[in-house]
Amino acid sequence: MTESKYFIPGPTWVRPEILAELTHPMLGHRSGEFKELARGILTDVKELFRTKQHAFVATCSGTGMLEGALINCVPRSVLVTTCGAFSERWLSIAEQLGLEADHLSVPWGESIDPVRLGDHLKGRHHHYDAVTITHSETSTGVMNDVRELASVIRAVSADTLILVDAVSSLGSAPLLFDEWDIDVCVASTQKGIALPPGLTVFAISERAMQSAARKPYRGTYFDFLEFQKNLDSGGVPFTPSIPHYYALAAQLAHILRSEGLEKRWKRHEEMRRITRERTASYAEPSCPIEQGSMSITALRPKSQSAPEVVAAMKKRGYVLGGGYGKWKEETFRIGHMGDITISALESMLQVLGEVCADGSQA
């Protein structure tokens, strides 16, 4: 098996056999063959989210469906929890949509505190239509405890909708849509699912679907009810990226039946541990391991600049992620997600250790 030398926080490395799935002959998206393909995919997407409710696939980036979730589910007010650049994107979208957007923020490198969230919700004079949570914050490598945060929200308000960005966590870390009582969860396919960019998978609770039905305007391309209407007839609302569907079908079969979802979660947990241990002598992690993403580790090198580390690794044939946003110059990021193997990660970390040791002696 070809091993990755590509360790950015997404788009992640894609196995050659999955890339080959993109070359299937074209077929009509209203044909019986496509409908059969789509039905199998949606069954597996439900299993990926661990839900028995609604699940769909859209041809767009994750950002598109973050906007779709707000349009469908928020008539007036939303609380956005922020801990980095991508959780802040929820806030930017909400403000541009003209919503009453409040936010509860923590410094970059920290996760959302459930106690502080509960106090904030209890102190409000009106209830929020929805609260957003980013599961894995790609800019900082922090993972929020969605299960605990959701339980805090439910303790205050049973009908506030919980909207989750799982763009860089689905397929890499445990996410139990029904058990955690989430209402909308969105994930792109180019990270933990390990496909090329182009598709977004998302799950919707019955509660969120009913809320959307009460909104007079839900947009056009991201209208939840249109997705459901077309699913009922075995189709999709708009022309999808058909090559991606072939690749997604094959990859879901690999994740759920060849590797196994629980084993995949364990592999990612192990890659997080190995990355932390092997880099401890020459870099500081952005957060404690118990708050760390299973997909991404952000590091501050002790003896070199982060851009120098990334450049030196590129000369050695390995591509790492640079810092993002206000951490652009001070951190580099290792994407250890999707189908990256432990052996490939260890090979990269061996070279990274040599690069950082050379830099410390310069």
Side-chain angles (χ1 to χ4, degrees), residues 184-195:
V184 180
C185 189
V186 175
S188 303
T189 54
Q190 77 272 17
K191 295 185 186 278
I193 301 174
L195 288 188

Side-chain angles (χ1 to χ4, degrees), residues 17-246:
E17 52 266 45
I18 294 301
L19 291 175
E21 292 289 331
L22 297 167
T23 65
H24 277 280
M26 195 54 60
L27 78 166
H29 68 289
R30 302 301 181 196
S31 67
E33 293 88 348
F34 178 80
K35 290 178 180 180
E36 182 179 357
L37 175 66
R39 278 193 292 267
I41 286 172
L42 292 180
T43 297
D44 283 349
V45 169
K46 284 188 176 185
E47 177 59 24
L48 190 64
F49 278 108
R50 291 294 175 86
T51 184
K52 297 184 182 301
Q53 300 182 77
H54 307 275
F56 304 98
V57 180
T59 299
C60 66
S61 69
T63 300
M65 198 48 69
L66 297 184
E67 179 174 339
L70 292 171
I71 292 172
N72 278 268
C73 295
V74 184
R76 184 171 67 96
S77 64
V78 59
L79 173 64
V80 180
T81 62
T82 64
C83 57
F86 291 96
S87 51
E88 290 167 3
R89 183 170 291 179
W90 278 111
L91 181 62
S92 175
I93 296 169
E95 290 174 340
Q96 291 180 62
L97 289 173
L99 299 173
E100 294 179 12
D102 195 2
H103 72 283
L104 176 68
S105 64
V106 298
W108 284 37
E110 295 182 15
S111 59
I112 303 299
D113 180 10
V115 174
R116 189 176 166 201
L117 174 61
D119 290 343
H120 181 92
L121 293 171
K122 293 170 187 174
R124 297 298 295 175
H125 297 299
H126 69 271
H127 107 302
Y128 295 105
D129 298 313
V131 177
T132 72
I133 304 169
T134 298
H135 192 197
S136 171
E137 174 50 72
T138 308
S139 64
T140 66
V142 166
M143 181 163 280
N144 288 302
D145 189 339
V146 173
R147 181 176 189 170
E148 186 170 4
L149 294 171
S151 69
V152 167
I153 297 165
R154 287 283 170 258
V156 177
S157 174
D159 62 347
T160 294
L161 299 182
I162 299 171
L163 314 181
V164 175
D165 169 352
V167 167
S168 63
S169 61
L170 188 69
S172 300
L175 194 149
L176 310 179
F177 186 90
D178 287 354
E179 184 177 321
W180 295 356
D181 205 10
I182 300 168
D183 291 295
V184 180
C185 189
V186 175
S188 303
T189 54
Q190 77 272 17
K191 295 185 186 278
I193 301 174
L195 288 188
L199 295 182
T200 291
V201 295
F202 57 109
I204 307 171
S205 71
E206 183 59 33
R207 179 171 47 225
M209 196 66 82
Q210 291 174 3
S211 177
R214 292 191 292 269
K215 282 203 69 180
Y217 176 71
R218 298 176 295 276
T220 300
Y221 194 70
F222 300 121
D223 183 349
F224 288 175
L225 271 64
E226 280 297 309
F227 277 92
Q228 185 60 54
K229 175 184 174 182
N230 282 268
L231 176 63
D232 291 342
S233 62
V236 290
F238 307 104
T239 307
S241 176
I242 292 166
H244 278 87
Y245 269 66
Y246 283 117

Side-chain angles (χ1 to χ4, degrees), residues 286-301:
S286 63
C287 63
I289 190 169
E290 63 271 13
Q291 296 177 13
S293 169
M294 293 191 191
S295 304
I296 301 131
T297 297
L299 297 164
R300 290 183 176 84

